[in-house]
Amino acid sequence: GLPSVAFHLCGSSQDLNEDLKQMLESSKDSAKLDAMKRIVGMIAKGKNASELFPAVVKNVASKNIEIKKLVYVYLMRYAEEQQDLALLSISTFQRALKDPNQLIRASALRVLSSIRVPIIVPIMMLAIKEASSDLSPYVRKNAAHAIQKLYSLDPDQKEMLIEVIEKLLKDRSTLVAGSVVMAFEEVCPDRIDLIHKNYRKLCNLLVDVEEWGQVVIIHMLTRYARTQFVSPWKVMVDEYSENNFYESDEEQKEKDQKLKTTYTMDPDHRLLLRNTKPLLQSRNAAVVMAVAQLYWHLAPKSEAGIVSKSLVRLLRSNREVQYIVLQNIATMSIQRKGMFEPYLKSFYVRSTDPTMIKTLKLEILTNLANEANISTLLREFQTYVKSQDKQFAAATIQAIGRCATNITEVTDTCLNGLVCLLSNRDEIVVAESVVVIKKLLQTQPAHHGEIIKHMAKLLDNITVPVARASILWLIGEYCERVPKIAPDVLRKTAKSFTNEDDLVKLQILNLGAKLYLTNSKQTKLLTQYVLNLGKYDQSYDIRDRTRFIRQLIVPNEKSGALSKYAKKIFLAQKPAPLLESPFKDRDHFQLGTLSHTLNSRATGYLELSDWPEVAPDPSVRNVDVAKEWTGILGKPKKEKPTEKFYSESEEEEDESASTSSSGKCLESTAFSLPGKLCLQNCLVHK
Amino acid sequence: MIHSLFLINCSGDIFLEKHWKSVVSQSVCDYFFEAQEKAIDVENVPPVISTPHHYLISIYRDKIFFVSVIQTEVPPLFVIEFLHRVADTFQDYFGECSETAIKDNVVIVYELLEEMLDNGFPLATESNILKELIKPPTILRSVVNSITGSSNVGDTLPTGQLSNIPWRRAGVKYTNNEAYFDVIEEIDAIIDKSGSTVFAEIQGVIDSCIKLSGMPDLSLSFMNPRLLDDVSFHPCIRFKRWESERVLSFIPPDGNFRLISYRVSSQNLVAIPVYVKHMISFKENTSSGRFDVTIGPKQNMGKTVEGVVMTVHMPKAVLNMNLTATQGSYTFDPVTKVLTWDVGKITPQKLPNLKGIVNLQSGAPKPEENPSLNIQFKIQQLAISGLKVNRLDMYGEKYKPFKGSSFVSDGEQEPKSLSSQNFT
């Protein structure tokens, strides 16, 4: 029976745990290691292994390095749940923090700070402080990571942690830079003042920092620059005047005059742009994107174009990278078409692209469409409409609609093309075309009686509700242009009323009402029939609408003054729908961020401020050279890692040119060595 | 940054989880499964998903979803790039990045993940450093380990991480010092019905295998560096030397790595080395059609075109295909409707041809669009862009290395139908 099975299962896991406990208590390392491996396997699968805590924690001081590591893994997973027992391990770590070996010190700090036990907060704080002045940059890097961990465990430590951050920001090691900026961003992103003195150093170190650190530093510096420098854009305002529509022209002109005479870029602003540019050639897509967003938000508009080529390169990468990059290009291409026009063909859709990539490329192609390239694009779009991927075909029809409204030269061509699609065999294509044609006709209803007639005929065959509803709405709206057909359509739909979708029923009611107002002689009875059907419909929406319409169009003693205006209400000039990109205005989120991708503010998103009208004092970034000197000389030799390994650049601007950089030495000696060999025999080894 | 990671296989089992901060329940993956269900296929699962308390950023690699849990704002590419790096590392360690390989090596996987990320921020992602920290599994080692109880974890401490050359481990020694460079180029072209090229570009990479002792400092120069229009570098390459002299100067990582990837500017006209003759037609009102395709070489400087594979995504209405190939073999998958023809080498004397009958579902309308053909091929010892290596010099060490380079051109062509014309 069931109970015994359950008991058995329970027993077996008990047995297993007993086995493991025995192995952990064995005197042989191999048994212990085996047990730990099995436990880690359990953790990896998400099984609960917390019961073994006492047995595992005893091995924290094991001499065997792998056992020790696996015990660490276990501790980080379960210490939070077993706080009292976890305390047993603390002294081991405290001892390890004093170890002469830097890697042991670092790993002790890592584990200690990962054990989420509030009672050890003071111990952690002390350890972080000590580690932040450790001689080894690797330990200091780990200290920077520990800052965030302690902060999330106990936010009350904020002030003390900021002191540590301030100290580590001064660190000259490339190893530390990324990690401490990360800590800065999480703990005190508003303390911009801490960056001033380190700004130039960070700019100069940037090329040599590891990739992940580069991303974090670039994002932080983008935010910083927007608070410290004045806008380089106003000067170029003539080219991009559309961005300033909210300011009156005269005001703008006056401003321009003033700015044109006074604007020169702050050398620090220029330093940042110059030092990030080579990173566009990084193999890491996140770094390239970070630089691209920096140029978008900080560079003069004439310079931002240099990022396009690199972004297009990223389109060769995997689909996830493509997805994010294309989203960002979509946002950019709305505002500054010129940036991506030369790469138009790179956005052509491939039949093997996933639908989400296809749709994004289509979006960008639509944004880039102009008088010059529209005919090529429309030809390309025609291929897309035939795609077997119907969702994409439908999106293409929408795109054609957008091109038609944006570029007046091709409106008629597009409209004709769409009308041709009405005879397409695929219903989804036809339905989508109807919807788009409806929108287009609304923007210019001049003389399109023929198209409306054509669509009325389609009504007999089309079954997709949105399309049927769109046709009915069109006929109702322009019933005076098709006086013969409209009443007949009403007659037909009155017959099929009960079998229609709710969406269509509403439009039949609308059509009836409009005809009743314009041509009551022919349609009075039909309309009343439809209204009666609507009165007893199952959907309360439709019953509601029926009641509303009847009161408005059929005057009786109860209906108030409104019915006099019924015609004005129903047949008012309606504004045409705007066909615009879903990426419009998305750049109020910093590009490259999660918030931009989701188009909604993510938790912890840091707002990019507007440029200040007047630049704050630039001298805050000046570094006291003399003081730095003694600081550097005062440090022991070990403290000078081989910085500036391959960036011989820009040192003249930084006082650090004076620090001996052994990387440079190595290179210059290298040149004198012989050993040049020609590569003549090209060997194939593949 | 990255809170937790879940590995999920195609049937929706979560087979590994790892948390870097406090534990996030597996149930968060339900949001992912929901999105997966909505998507038509795995390729269309959105990489970024928003849930009430978390954000999920995922990649799909080798039939595994790597789903990471994020709590606060982070550049999505940062996470995506990192997840791919994790998958690369598994590939590097286990030879394949599969569910079985990960499950079999779960302890090493855990140790790797522990080293790669600290508190959600990448710590060590360079393969050279990781291999010093955690040795990759080998059969011999696992046997020895199980007998002696010794471990996979390196007992010497990695030096790379502590230096400014984080990609190279210290104390490398080889008896035969060798350096190989593979130049692999790929043409990517869209060709219309009349055979004219709508779009073509060359993408290339130089993959290196460097086995040199000590701290060699290499510089590689090209005969025609101007060809390289847009280059991205491994972090070991010195930007400034490239910018001023167009020389690749670097201290290489030990072992295999990708040195650069590049694109050849579109101004340099690309000659496409194969052509296709095709005739695909469907008759109205019958449930069959004809299929006839011939592939031939052109302008390839006397080199053989090999490894030719053609794939065609046939229209949905196709039931099966009855074809005869004069060369190679073909398969048709009736579920995915993909026709694959493995041609092999092209000999100009006898051009490979594939022809026969296409059977359609009875009653189904005639497909309105002809399928596009994708053709892949390889040409050995030829860089299609004409890129030539000039010389490789080594400084900093005194031995004479053995140097080699090879060139392979890969092609990927996607001809497709344009406007009213029926086929490309």
Side-chain angles (χ1 to χ4, degrees):
Chain A
L2 271 174
S4 69
V5 172
F7 175 78
H8 181 73
L9 278 177
C10 182
S12 75
S13 88
Q14 209 84 52
D15 288 349
L16 179 73
N17 280 351
E18 278 312 313
D19 277 0
L20 287 171
K21 268 182 206 161
Q22 270 176 14
M23 288 163 80
L24 286 169
E25 270 150 31
S26 124
S27 55
K28 275 192 235 148
D29 272 357
S30 60
K32 285 182 179 178
L33 185 60
D34 198 27
M36 279 318 296
K37 283 183 172 171
R38 281 159 67 181
I39 294 170
V40 167
M42 285 164 71
I43 296 176
K45 285 198 193 86
K47 288 185 191 150
N48 187 2
S50 62
E51 203 189 304
L52 295 159
F53 202 99
V56 174
V57 80
K58 280 181 204 153
N59 292 299
V60 70
S62 169
K63 289 272 181 300
N64 180 308
I65 195 159
E66 189 168 20
I67 294 179
K68 196 146 86 176
K69 276 201 167 183
L70 295 177
V71 172
Y72 288 179
V73 169
Y74 184 90
L75 267 179
M76 291 191 225
R77 171 68 182 76
Y78 286 114
E80 206 174 354
E81 296 171 21
Q82 309 252 356
Q83 309 217 344
D84 291 345
L85 284 167
L87 293 178
L88 295 174
S89 63
I90 303 300
S91 62
T92 322
F93 297 122
Q94 280 177 303
R95 225 173 303 129
L97 284 169
K98 304 262 185 299
D99 198 280
N101 185 315
Q102 49 178 341
L103 277 138
I104 292 178
R105 291 202 300 278
S107 92
L109 181 61
R110 253 181 89 185
V111 185
L112 183 68
S113 55
S114 299
I115 297 176
R116 300 178 53 83
V117 179
I119 207 166
I120 62 159
V121 164
I123 300 178
M124 273 167 78
M125 192 65 226
L126 198 69
I128 292 173
K129 272 190 176 165
E130 271 177 25
S132 69
S133 39
D134 199 289
L135 288 186
S136 150
Y138 184 65
V139 175
R140 298 203 299 276
K141 182 189 180 72
N142 277 277
H145 287 188
I147 292 172
Q148 305 164 53
K149 298 185 212 169
L150 180 52
Y151 179 64
S152 70
L153 185 62
D154 180 12
D156 289 346
Q157 302 296 316
K158 187 169 176 178
E159 287 315 310
M160 275 162 66
L161 288 174
I162 292 178
E163 280 172 35
V164 183
I165 291 176
E166 192 172 359
K167 183 168 163 198
L168 286 174
L169 275 171
K170 293 194 183 113
D171 205 300
R172 308 199 66 83
S173 164
T174 49
L175 221 53
V176 183
S179 303
V180 67
V181 170
M182 189 66 227
F184 170 84
E185 292 279 82
E186 291 220 343
V187 179
C188 52
D190 46 339
R191 289 290 303 275
I192 285 286
D193 57 295
L194 298 180
I195 304 300
H196 291 323
K197 291 264 182 265
N198 301 299
Y199 174 83
R200 288 174 199 166
K201 180 196 69 191
L202 284 173
C203 286
N204 287 323
L205 284 183
L206 199 55
V207 197
D208 297 338
V209 174
E210 30 76 49
E211 313 158 81
W212 314 107
Q214 286 173 343
V215 178
V216 176
I217 296 175
I218 293 171
H219 274 270
M220 188 277 285
L221 290 178
T222 312
R223 235 162 24 85
Y224 176 86
R226 282 289 278 259
T227 63
Q228 299 300 315
F229 308 126
V230 290
S231 168
W233 299 340
K234 300 262 165 108
V235 239
M236 311 284 184
V237 91
D238 300 332
E239 290 171 54
Y240 297 97
S241 49
E242 76 267 20
N243 292 342
N244 297 293
F245 60 90
Y246 42 83
E247 281 172 280
S248 82
D249 285 357
E250 275 163 35
E251 255 177 49
Q252 190 62 44
K253 258 181 212 160
E254 254 171 52
K255 241 186 203 166
D256 289 354
Q257 288 295 320
K258 222 166 68 193
L259 283 163
K260 256 177 198 159
T261 48
T262 54
Y263 181 78
T264 41
M265 189 182 274
D266 187 307
D268 286 330
H269 189 172
R270 177 51 69 197
L271 176 73
L272 177 59
L273 292 175
R274 192 172 54 221
N275 285 10
T276 47
K277 193 179 155 195
L279 298 181
L280 282 173
Q281 287 174 318
S282 170
R283 62 166 172 178
N284 188 316
V287 176
V288 177
M289 189 64 233
V291 179
Q293 67 82 28
L294 181 134
Y295 264 75
W296 175 263
H297 292 292
L298 298 182
K301 297 202 171 172
S302 54
E303 287 173 42
I306 63 159
V307 305
S308 326
K309 193 193 269 184
S310 311
L311 288 179
V312 171
R313 184 185 70 227
L314 297 184
L315 299 183
R316 292 287 302 176
S317 195
N318 47 64
R319 79 174 174 112
E320 294 88 6
V321 170
Q322 282 185 41
Y323 175 75
I324 304 290
V325 173
L326 285 170
Q327 279 193 326
N328 283 285
I329 294 181
T331 303
M332 295 183 185
S333 61
I334 291 179
Q335 282 195 24
R336 306 184 200 163
K337 286 187 183 190
M339 274 176 79
F340 293 97
E341 261 167 18
Y343 303 97
L344 187 74
K345 285 186 176 173
S346 305
F347 301 108
Y348 277 11
V349 168
R350 281 145 213 279
S351 59
T352 44
D353 284 336
T355 312
M356 59 175 190
I357 299 294
K358 284 182 187 162
T359 334
L360 280 169
K361 284 185 171 173
L362 185 68
E363 175 65 39
I364 294 167
L365 289 174
T366 318
N367 289 342
L368 294 179
N370 59 22
E371 288 85 354
N373 59 27
I374 185 69
S375 54
T376 331
L377 271 184
L378 283 180
R379 224 175 308 136
E380 182 73 14
F381 283 175
Q382 275 174 325
T383 335
Y384 300 169
V385 171
K386 288 184 195 154
S387 163
Q388 292 178 36
D389 181 345
K390 289 304 162 198
Q391 202 187 331
F392 173 61
T396 308
I397 295 167
Q398 291 282 355
I400 295 176
R402 252 175 63 203
C403 290
T405 42
N406 295 344
I407 304 163
T408 42
E409 280 91 335
V410 293
T411 310
D412 285 333
T413 326
C414 291
L415 202 50
N416 291 338
L418 289 171
V419 172
C420 290
L421 287 178
L422 291 179
S423 43
N424 195 290
R425 207 180 303 126
D426 192 278
E427 192 163 51
I428 299 166
V429 172
V430 178
E432 201 68 31
S433 310
V434 168
V435 174
V436 174
I437 290 176
K438 181 208 134 200
K439 288 181 184 169
L440 281 180
L441 288 185
Q442 233 180 314
T443 54
Q444 40 156 253
H447 36 265
H448 291 300
E450 281 308 310
I451 296 178
I452 297 174
K453 272 181 210 162
H454 186 90
M455 289 172 75
K457 278 181 209 150
L458 279 175
L459 207 55
D460 297 338
N461 301 320
I462 280 194
T463 56
V464 180
V466 201
R468 288 181 73 81
S470 292
I471 297 176
L472 290 171
W473 183 89
L474 262 180
I475 295 171
E477 190 66 17
Y478 305 112
C479 54
E480 281 159 309
R481 289 180 207 279
V482 282
K484 286 193 183 142
I485 293 174
D488 194 48
V489 170
L490 183 61
R491 178 185 65 81
K492 279 187 192 159
T493 46
K495 267 209 258 176
S496 61
F497 187 89
T498 45
N499 299 323
E500 298 283 3
D501 193 274
D502 282 3
L503 203 62
V504 184
K505 283 179 182 170
L506 288 175
Q507 290 309 326
I508 299 175
L509 288 168
N510 264 347
L511 173 67
K514 285 171 184 169
L515 281 171
Y516 186 93
L517 291 169
T518 53
N519 182 6
S520 64
K521 221 169 106 195
Q522 271 187 300
T523 56
K524 193 171 177 181
L525 284 173
L526 263 176
T527 309
Q528 272 173 356
Y529 173 68
V530 172
L531 287 176
N532 282 334
L533 284 175
K535 192 174 170 184
Y536 300 107
D537 198 87
Q538 284 189 327
S539 155
Y540 55 77
D541 266 350
I542 292 177
R543 294 199 301 273
D544 242 20
R545 178 72 65 91
T546 313
R547 211 168 300 135
F548 167 75
I549 289 178
R550 193 191 291 277
Q551 290 299 318
L552 263 179
I553 61 171
V554 189
N556 58 24
E557 66 281 1
K558 266 189 266 170
S559 63
L562 263 182
S563 59
K564 267 186 252 165
Y565 302 104
K567 197 166 179 181
K568 278 190 181 159
I569 292 170
F570 275 103
L571 291 162
Q573 194 85 52
K574 281 132 193 137
L578 270 177
L579 303 176
E580 57 184 22
S581 164
F583 286 87
K584 193 168 182 283
D585 291 336
R586 220 187 247 204
D587 82 322
H588 59 264
F589 289 115
Q590 188 174 358
L591 291 186
T593 59
L594 183 61
S595 304
H596 174 268
T597 292
L598 297 169
N599 199 18
S600 73
R601 223 191 135 86
T603 327
Y605 173 74
L606 299 167
E607 203 78 50
L608 207 56
S609 72
D610 281 331
W611 299 99
E613 282 297 320
V614 181
D617 180 16
S619 68
V620 290
R621 284 183 293 277
N622 291 346
V623 184
D624 189 346
V625 178
K627 208 172 134 199
E628 278 288 307
W629 256 104
T630 51
I632 288 164
L633 292 177
K635 284 179 195 164
K637 260 209 157 164
K638 269 187 199 161
E639 264 295 272
K640 275 184 276 172
T642 57
E643 259 163 42
K644 297 281 185 272
F645 181 66
Y646 52 77
S647 69
E648 306 95 306
S649 62
E650 273 90 52
E651 284 178 12
E652 63 280 0
E653 290 171 34
D654 199 302
E655 64 292 338
S656 73
S658 46
T659 62
S660 81
S661 97
S662 44
K664 262 176 105 179
C665 295
L666 191 145
E667 224 174 51
S668 52
T669 48
F671 278 113
S672 62
L673 277 171
K676 301 191 180 181
L677 286 163
C678 278
L679 186 86
Q680 278 168 342
N681 307 332
C682 286
L683 269 175
V684 181
H685 89 113
K686 251 206 144 171
Chain B
M1 286 193 145
I2 298 171
H3 212 105
S4 303
L5 175 70
F6 294 98
L7 300 191
I8 302 174
N9 65 15
C10 277
S11 37
D13 302 324
I14 303 170
F15 65 92
L16 187 110
E17 62 177 77
K18 167 90 184 117
H19 307 275
W20 284 275
K21 301 182 186 181
S22 22
V23 178
V24 178
S25 153
Q26 281 197 356
S27 61
V28 76
C29 294
D30 292 346
Y31 293 101
F32 177 78
F33 294 133
E34 207 176 288
Q36 194 185 1
E37 229 163 81
K38 263 189 228 158
I40 323 155
D41 50 44
V42 285
E43 293 266 273
N44 278 304
V45 179
V48 182
I49 299 168
S50 175
T51 80
H53 300 288
H54 303 91
Y55 306 98
L56 303 178
I57 300 186
S58 63
I59 64 162
Y60 180 68
R61 269 271 295 259
D62 305 298
K63 299 193 175 135
I64 301 171
F65 282 106
F66 291 68
V67 182
S68 62
V69 183
I70 310 292
Q71 264 188 331
T72 53
E73 172 63 61
V74 63
L77 277 183
F78 187 99
V79 181
I80 288 169
E81 189 78 22
F82 176 79
L83 293 178
H84 276 290
R85 212 58 78 80
V86 171
D88 289 343
T89 308
F90 291 165
Q91 173 86 38
D92 189 28
Y93 264 75
F94 314 129
E96 54 166 3
C97 172
S98 66
E99 185 183 349
T100 343
I102 291 172
K103 278 183 171 165
D104 288 351
N105 296 289
V106 68
V107 173
I108 295 184
V109 165
Y110 238 67
E111 285 165 346
L112 282 171
L113 291 175
E114 196 65 54
E115 292 299 337
M116 291 182 82
L117 216 57
D118 180 21
N119 194 39
F121 190 77
L123 194 61
T125 50
E126 285 297 335
S127 128
N128 265 236
I129 293 180
L130 286 170
K131 285 196 174 148
E132 271 187 272
L133 289 165
I134 301 148
K135 292 176 198 139
T138 61
I139 295 168
L140 179 67
R141 187 170 310 120
S142 58
V143 173
V144 171
N145 284 356
S146 67
I147 296 165
T148 62
S150 62
S151 69
N152 293 320
V153 175
D155 41 8
T156 50
L157 301 157
T159 41
Q161 205 159 20
L162 306 174
S163 78
N164 264 65
I165 320 168
W167 53 84
R168 189 173 176 88
R169 62 194 181 96
V172 183
K173 261 189 200 143
Y174 289 102
T175 40
N176 296 320
N177 288 292
E178 302 165 312
Y180 293 104
F181 296 93
D182 292 345
V183 181
I184 301 163
E185 295 194 337
E186 219 179 274
I187 316 176
D188 197 346
I190 302 175
I191 296 160
D192 71 4
K193 183 188 163 104
S194 56
S196 59
T197 310
V198 177
F199 174 75
E201 65 174 10
I202 295 176
Q203 304 280 340
V205 295
I206 299 184
D207 279 343
S208 317
C209 174
I210 308 268
K211 293 181 173 173
L212 297 173
S213 313
M215 274 289 164
D217 194 333
L218 304 177
S219 57
L220 182 69
S221 60
F222 301 98
M223 302 282 268
N224 39 7
R226 301 271 157 211
L227 266 182
L228 309 180
D229 183 35
D230 181 31
V231 194
S232 74
F233 297 130
H234 186 276
C236 69
I237 291 171
R238 301 178 176 99
F239 283 122
K240 290 286 158 186
R241 279 289 297 281
W242 174 256
E243 244 162 48
S244 56
E245 302 164 52
R246 299 273 146 180
V247 166
L248 295 176
S249 159
F250 56 99
I251 292 180
D254 184 46
N256 294 310
F257 66 102
R258 175 154 296 172
L259 186 63
I260 62 168
S261 23
Y262 58 88
R263 197 173 60 192
V264 174
S265 63
S266 45
Q267 286 96 323
N268 295 293
L269 268 180
V270 178
I272 294 169
V274 294
Y275 68 88
V276 181
K277 272 198 260 174
H278 49 79
M279 215 280 297
I280 303 173
S281 61
F282 302 104
K283 270 176 254 157
E284 198 70 63
N285 301 326
T286 57
S287 51
S288 71
R290 291 166 52 78
F291 184 98
D292 187 345
V293 172
T294 308
I295 304 178
K298 66 178 186 193
Q299 301 152 321
N300 49 13
M301 299 155 217
K303 302 282 198 302
T304 1
V305 181
E306 40 183 23
V308 181
V309 178
M310 182 183 81
T311 43
V312 188
H313 289 259
M314 297 303 288
K316 288 211 178 67
V318 174
L319 260 189
N320 57 44
M321 302 183 76
N322 226 331
L323 307 172
T324 345
T326 58
Q327 183 182 336
S329 59
Y330 81 96
T331 54
F332 177 71
D333 182 340
V335 182
T336 57
K337 313 286 182 200
V338 177
L339 167 72
T340 315
W341 179 24
D342 192 346
V343 185
K345 212 185 273 182
I346 299 182
T347 37
Q349 291 77 26
K350 194 167 168 286
L351 298 180
N353 169 273
L354 180 69
K355 73 174 171 187
I357 305 290
V358 185
N359 291 317
L360 300 177
Q361 259 160 358
S362 57
K366 172 180 121 125
E368 56 189 293
E369 180 204 32
N370 269 323
S372 57
L373 314 173
N374 283 281
I375 292 160
Q376 289 182 340
F377 55 86
K378 246 182 203 177
I379 303 172
Q380 296 280 7
Q381 287 180 283
L382 172 77
I384 203 90
S385 64
L387 185 73
K388 286 197 178 72
V389 174
N390 183 19
R391 56 193 290 159
L392 174 73
D393 299 323
M394 186 176 74
Y395 309 98
E397 296 288 338
K398 286 187 173 153
Y399 50 84
K400 279 192 179 183
F402 179 78
K403 296 176 284 190
S405 65
S406 83
F407 293 86
V408 178
S409 295
D410 266 317
E412 203 172 296
Q413 267 179 283
E414 184 185 338
K416 66 178 178 193
S417 46
L418 270 176
S419 63
S420 57
Q421 295 155 326
N422 231 354
F423 192 65
T424 44

